[in-house]
Amino acid sequence: MSTTRRMLLGAALIAPLLGRFTGTAAGAVDGGTGSTGSAGSTGSAGRLGTLSDGWVELRWTPEAQTQLDRFQAMVEAVAPARLVLGEHGMSVRLPIHSAQGDPSLADPPKAYGDGALDGGVSVRTSQGVYRVVDLVGAIKDGLGSGRCEVSGAEMGHRSAFRCGLTEGKLTAAPVPAGQPMKVRLSEAPLRPTQEAVDAYTTSFGAHPVTVDTVLAYVTAEGTYTPPPAAQE
């Protein structure tokens, strides 16, 4: 397997880390016309809330594990991310570095935003170890995109996965209007887009993954602070 294909494997399997919560209860998309950049750097920051003291936890499914096993690949955490063993299996938890956006608590499918995560993962194969770090993700209209660095090379995904915005449980602690609130997302499924499935097929050949395959479940939480206008 070539170096490029191994790097694509790492990026493809870690793509779900680039979205859902960093883009929903946090992130910022500048109307879909600009670059996501690092969270907190968009021109519309004054109209967006922020997320702090948060983390994202990704639990990959047996279907994703099958693809890892196909290449004898093992996932390890890159600090400050860490592996977490729960009742449903192994997850990786990454702190949210910074993020902003609109979680749309009343209508989750309308959530949008972008954000950045600290740490990352390494994908260990018989051919070497490939670090996936500098994770930045965005979400809009239920589609997740993002970019990351894989062993020193930057890789991007314009349409990597679909987020089960109505299938996960999004809760918020009651607080006075305009005040910071603790929000939590539980068990939101992530499925690849057709674009991602096609790219994976081109790189690695036949496989059972389709647009209906759940590759991971996300649980995350943090403190959401509404934009200044909402606090007045």
Side-chain angles (χ1 to χ4, degrees), residues 118-152:
D118 284 327
V121 300
S122 64
V123 180
R124 183 183 299 273
T125 74
S126 60
Q127 302 298 317
V129 179
Y130 303 89
R131 287 167 54 94
V132 183
V133 295
D134 292 341
L135 302 164
V136 178
I139 187 170
K140 186 177 182 182
D141 297 329
L143 288 176
S145 61
R147 68 175 186 270
C148 59
E149 181 182 296
V150 183
S151 295

Coordinates of all heavy atoms in Angstrom, one line a residue, residues 118-152:
D118 N -8.1 19.9 20.1 CA -6.7 19.7 20.5 C -6.3 18.2 20.4 O -7.2 17.3 20.6 CB -6.5 20.2 21.9 CG -6.4 21.7 22.0 OD1 -5.9 22.3 21.1 OD2 -6.9 22.2 23.0
G119 N -5.1 17.9 20.2 CA -4.6 16.5 20.1 C -5.0 15.9 18.8 O -5.2 16.6 17.8
G120 N -5.1 14.6 18.8 CA -5.5 13.9 17.6 C -5.3 12.4 17.8 O -5.5 11.9 18.9
V121 N -5.1 11.7 16.8 CA -4.9 10.2 16.9 C -3.7 9.8 16.0 O -3.3 10.6 15.1 CB -6.1 9.4 16.4 CG1 -7.3 9.8 17.3 CG2 -6.5 9.6 15.0
S122 N -3.2 8.7 16.2 CA -2.2 8.1 15.3 C -2.8 6.7 14.8 O -3.4 6.0 15.6 CB -0.8 7.9 16.0 OG -0.9 7.0 17.1
V123 N -2.6 6.5 13.6 CA -3.0 5.2 13.0 C -1.8 4.4 12.8 O -0.9 4.7 11.9 CB -3.8 5.4 11.7 CG1 -4.2 4.1 11.1 CG2 -5.0 6.3 11.9
R124 N -1.6 3.3 13.5 CA -0.4 2.4 13.4 C -0.7 1.2 12.5 O -1.7 0.5 12.8 CB 0.0 2.0 14.8 CG 1.2 1.1 14.9 CD 1.5 0.7 16.3 NE 1.7 1.8 17.2 CZ 2.9 2.4 17.4 NH1 4.0 1.9 16.8 NH2 3.0 3.4 18.2
T125 N 0.1 1.0 11.5 CA -0.1 -0.1 10.6 C 1.3 -0.8 10.5 O 2.3 -0.3 11.1 CB -0.5 0.3 9.2 OG1 0.6 0.9 8.5 CG2 -1.7 1.3 9.2
S126 N 1.3 -1.9 9.8 CA 2.6 -2.6 9.6 C 3.6 -1.8 8.8 O 4.8 -2.1 8.8 CB 2.3 -4.0 9.0 OG 1.7 -3.8 7.7
Q127 N 3.1 -0.8 8.1 CA 3.9 0.0 7.3 C 4.4 1.3 8.0 O 5.3 2.0 7.4 CB 3.2 0.4 6.0 CG 2.6 -0.7 5.2 CD 3.8 -1.6 4.7 OE1 4.8 -1.1 4.2 NE2 3.6 -2.9 4.7
G128 N 3.9 1.6 9.2 CA 4.3 2.8 9.9 C 3.2 3.4 10.7 O 2.1 2.8 10.8
V129 N 3.5 4.5 11.3 CA 2.6 5.2 12.2 C 2.3 6.6 11.5 O 3.2 7.3 11.1 CB 3.1 5.4 13.6 CG1 2.1 6.2 14.4 CG2 3.5 4.1 14.2
Y130 N 1.0 6.9 11.4 CA 0.6 8.1 10.7 C -0.3 9.0 11.7 O -1.3 8.5 12.2 CB -0.2 7.8 9.5 CG 0.6 6.9 8.6 CD1 0.6 5.5 8.7 CD2 1.5 7.5 7.7 CE1 1.5 4.8 7.9 CE2 2.4 6.7 6.9 CZ 2.3 5.4 7.0 OH 3.2 4.6 6.2
R131 N 0.3 10.1 12.0 CA -0.4 11.0 13.0 C -1.4 11.9 12.3 O -1.1 12.5 11.3 CB 0.7 11.9 13.7 CG 1.5 11.2 14.7 CD 2.7 12.0 15.1 NE 2.3 13.3 15.6 CZ 2.2 13.6 16.9 NH1 2.3 12.6 17.8 NH2 1.8 14.8 17.3
V132 N -2.6 12.0 12.9 CA -3.7 12.8 12.4 C -3.9 13.9 13.4 O -4.5 13.6 14.5 CB -4.9 12.0 12.1 CG1 -6.0 12.9 11.5 CG2 -4.6 10.8 11.2
V133 N -3.5 15.1 13.2 CA -3.6 16.2 14.2 C -4.2 17.5 13.5 O -4.5 17.4 12.3 CB -2.3 16.5 14.8 CG1 -1.8 15.3 15.7 CG2 -1.2 16.8 13.8
D134 N -4.2 18.5 14.3 CA -4.7 19.8 13.7 C -6.1 19.7 13.1 O -6.3 20.1 12.0 CB -3.7 20.4 12.7 CG -2.4 20.9 13.4 OD1 -2.4 21.0 14.6 OD2 -1.4 21.0 12.7
L135 N -7.0 19.1 13.9 CA -8.4 18.8 13.4 C -9.2 20.0 13.4 O -9.4 20.6 14.5 CB -9.0 17.7 14.2 CG -8.2 16.4 14.3 CD1 -8.7 15.5 15.4 CD2 -8.3 15.6 13.0
V136 N -9.8 20.4 12.3 CA -10.7 21.5 12.2 C -11.9 21.0 11.4 O -11.8 20.4 10.3 CB -10.1 22.7 11.4 CG1 -11.1 23.9 11.3 CG2 -8.8 23.2 12.2
G137 N -13.1 21.3 11.9 CA -14.3 20.8 11.3 C -15.4 21.8 11.2 O -15.4 22.8 11.9
A138 N -16.3 21.6 10.3 CA -17.5 22.6 10.1 C -18.7 21.8 9.7 O -18.6 20.6 9.2 CB -17.2 23.6 9.0
I139 N -19.8 22.3 10.0 CA -21.1 21.7 9.7 C -22.1 22.7 9.2 O -22.2 23.9 9.7 CB -21.7 20.9 10.9 CG1 -22.9 20.1 10.4 CG2 -22.0 21.8 12.0 CD1 -23.4 19.1 11.5
K140 N -22.9 22.4 8.2 CA -23.9 23.2 7.7 C -24.9 22.4 6.9 O -24.4 21.5 6.1 CB -23.4 24.4 6.8 CG -24.4 25.4 6.3 CD -23.8 26.5 5.5 CE -24.9 27.5 5.1 NZ -24.3 28.6 4.3
D141 N -26.2 22.5 7.1 CA -27.2 21.7 6.4 C -27.0 20.2 6.6 O -27.2 19.4 5.7 CB -27.2 22.1 4.9 CG -27.5 23.5 4.6 OD1 -28.3 24.1 5.4 OD2 -27.0 24.1 3.6
G142 N -26.5 19.9 7.8 CA -26.3 18.5 8.1 C -25.1 17.8 7.5 O -24.9 16.6 7.8
L143 N -24.3 18.5 6.7 CA -23.1 18.0 6.1 C -21.9 18.4 6.8 O -21.7 19.6 7.1 CB -23.0 18.4 4.6 CG -24.0 17.7 3.7 CD1 -23.9 18.3 2.3 CD2 -23.8 16.2 3.7
G144 N -21.0 17.5 7.1 CA -19.7 17.8 7.8 C -18.6 17.9 6.8 O -18.4 17.1 5.9
S145 N -17.7 18.8 7.0 CA -16.5 19.0 6.2 C -15.3 19.3 7.2 O -15.6 19.6 8.4 CB -16.6 20.0 5.2 OG -16.8 21.3 5.8
G146 N -14.1 19.3 6.7 CA -13.0 19.6 7.6 C -11.7 19.4 7.0 O -11.6 19.1 5.8
R147 N -10.7 19.6 7.8 CA -9.3 19.4 7.3 C -8.5 18.9 8.5 O -8.8 19.1 9.7 CB -8.7 20.6 6.7 CG -8.4 21.8 7.7 CD -7.7 22.9 6.9 NE -7.3 24.0 7.9 CZ -8.1 25.0 8.2 NH1 -9.3 25.1 7.6 NH2 -7.7 25.9 9.1
C148 N -7.3 18.3 8.2 CA -6.4 17.8 9.3 C -5.1 17.7 8.6 O -4.9 17.8 7.4 CB -6.9 16.5 9.8 SG -7.0 15.2 8.6
E149 N -4.1 17.4 9.5 CA -2.7 17.2 9.1 C -2.4 15.7 9.3 O -2.6 15.2 10.4 CB -1.7 18.0 9.8 CG -0.3 17.8 9.4 CD 0.7 18.7 10.2 OE1 0.6 19.9 10.1 OE2 1.5 18.1 10.9
V150 N -2.0 15.0 8.2 CA -1.7 13.6 8.3 C -0.2 13.4 8.1 O 0.2 13.6 6.9 CB -2.5 12.7 7.3 CG1 -2.2 11.3 7.5 CG2 -4.0 13.0 7.5
S151 N 0.5 13.1 9.1 CA 2.0 13.0 9.0 C 2.6 14.1 8.3 O 3.5 13.9 7.4 CB 2.3 11.6 8.4 OG 1.9 10.6 9.2
G152 N 2.2 15.3 8.6 CA 2.9 16.5 8.0 C 2.2 17.0 6.8 O 2.6 18.1 6.3

